[in-house]
């Protein structure tokens, strides 16, 4: 991993169209500004990882019975 | 096309009906083509999203609007662009369902719905910025 030291107010470029700016530093928190093309998805890593993990555990097992699910959860709706 | 699946055995799916996910789905980046199965059954909340590229990969998906009252999805400009959305009525929203052994722990991911432009057959899982939407929304607690 490339490690660079930057000060508040400084920035860095990734390629020629992604700019990361250090907006503010308060204790152990850093505010980062990002300028990137629209098609570059930017997410907090922990949220992206959690969604990825949920997806991985969502593979339907061979015995998954959605008929039962449809019945179970529809019945509840009718209450 | 004859599609071999782990879940349904060999099924016959019209290739024109395949939905293309240019970026795949996080965790399954290599599977780009999916088939929606059972979506035409009007009274069903749950149906299937079967991968064409990975026979063993099949998701149960649901209509989030029928599960969570007041659910709303923000579609970012870049998603309108990448999904080539011109008519919002041609977009369906799905939520991935996770079904653990204990059926009381069935949950859906409301934070990251799947958008499908049914006209263009393009799909994407989008992450919602709305902080109040849970990644794990348990269906049994909703009633």
């Amino acid at each position: 991993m490339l490690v660079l030291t930057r000060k508040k107010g400084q920035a860095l470029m990734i390629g020629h169209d992604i700019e990361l700016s250090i907006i503010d530093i308060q204790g152990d928190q850093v505010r980062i500004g990002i300028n990137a093309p629209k098609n570059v998805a930017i997410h907090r890593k922990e949220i992206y990882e959690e969604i990825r993990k949920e997806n991985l555990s969502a593979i339907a097992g061979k015995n998954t019975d959605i008929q039962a699910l449809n019945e179970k959860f529809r019945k509840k709706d009718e209450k | 096309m004859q599609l071999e699946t782990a879940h349904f055995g060999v099924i016959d799916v019209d290739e024109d009906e395949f939905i293309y996910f240019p970026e795949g789905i996080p965790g399954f980046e290599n599977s780009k083509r999916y088939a929606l199965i059972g979506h035409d059954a009007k009274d069903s909340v749950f149906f299937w999203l079967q991968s064409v590229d990975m026979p063993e990969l099949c998701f149960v998906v649901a209509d989030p609007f029928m599960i969570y009252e007041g659910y709303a999805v923000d579609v970012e400009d870049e998603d309108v662009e990448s999904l080539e959305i011109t008519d919002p009525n041609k977009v369906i929203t799905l939520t991935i369902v996770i079904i653990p052994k204990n059926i009381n722990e069935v949950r859906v991911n409301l934070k990251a719905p799947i958008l499908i432009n049914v006209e263009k057959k393009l799909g994407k899982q989008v992450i919602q910025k709305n902080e109040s939407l849970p990644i794990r929304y348990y269906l049994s607690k909703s009633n």
Side-chain angles (χ1 to χ4, degrees):
Chain A
M1 186 193 287
L2 171 68
V3 179
L4 297 173
T5 302
R6 301 271 65 194
K7 289 179 178 161
K8 182 176 156 182
Q10 293 183 324
L12 52 91
M13 296 297 297
I14 299 173
H16 53 264
D17 52 9
I18 298 176
E19 180 186 0
L20 298 185
S21 318
I22 308 305
I23 309 261
D24 196 13
I25 304 167
Q26 298 276 346
D28 62 356
Q29 283 201 318
V30 183
R31 281 167 62 83
I32 298 172
I34 305 159
N35 264 322
K38 275 184 179 178
N39 61 354
V40 176
I42 299 159
H43 304 291
R44 289 183 174 87
K45 185 179 176 183
E46 60 273 24
I47 290 178
Y48 184 84
E49 280 302 319
E50 222 181 317
I51 286 166
R52 199 169 174 275
K53 222 172 81 193
E54 271 305 89
N55 286 347
L56 287 168
S57 59
I59 296 190
K62 271 210 162 126
N63 301 318
T64 305
D65 179 1
I66 64 165
Q67 207 58 43
L69 274 180
N70 270 321
E71 274 160 32
K72 181 175 164 74
F73 291 102
R74 183 156 349 102
K75 268 180 201 154
K76 283 192 167 182
D77 289 344
E78 283 164 5
K79 266 183 208 167
Chain B
M1 177 183 153
Q2 298 273 304
L3 181 61
E4 203 185 308
T5 68
H7 215 281
F8 309 102
V10 177
I11 54 171
D12 204 19
V13 189
D14 186 352
E15 268 173 82
D16 295 339
E17 295 298 313
F18 289 168
I19 296 147
Y20 184 62
F21 285 67
E23 298 163 33
I25 287 176
F28 303 98
E29 287 78 4
N30 293 330
S31 174
K32 311 278 193 196
R33 295 177 301 163
Y34 288 85
L36 258 185
I37 298 172
H39 186 243
D40 33 10
K42 279 267 179 291
D43 53 339
S44 292
V45 179
F46 300 90
F47 35 93
W48 309 95
L49 191 64
Q50 167 69 49
S51 164
V52 175
D53 301 315
M54 286 171 67
E56 68 280 12
L57 175 58
C58 187
F59 296 108
V60 174
V61 290
D63 177 348
F65 302 104
M66 291 182 75
I67 285 172
Y68 188 84
E69 219 183 289
Y71 189 62
V73 175
D74 279 332
V75 184
E76 305 277 337
D77 289 348
E78 58 262 39
D79 296 326
V80 171
E81 207 170 292
S82 65
L83 292 171
E84 300 176 20
I85 298 171
T86 47
D87 179 357
N89 294 320
K90 296 281 161 56
V91 179
I92 57 172
T93 306
L94 305 174
T95 179
I96 292 183
V97 185
I98 287 104
I99 307 169
K101 284 204 179 75
N102 179 352
I103 199 163
N104 291 318
E105 287 175 11
V106 171
R107 58 185 193 263
V108 296
N109 181 348
L110 296 178
K111 179 81 172 169
I114 287 175
L115 297 179
I116 293 175
N117 181 346
V118 288
E119 194 177 33
K120 298 281 169 57
K121 310 288 176 206
L122 286 169
K124 184 180 179 182
Q125 185 174 31
V126 300
I127 300 177
Q128 296 289 290
K129 297 216 161 67
N130 183 344
E131 303 279 346
S132 69
L133 292 174
I135 292 178
R136 295 181 189 81
Y137 178 74
Y138 291 88
L139 297 190
S140 51
K141 284 179 190 158
S142 65
N143 285 277

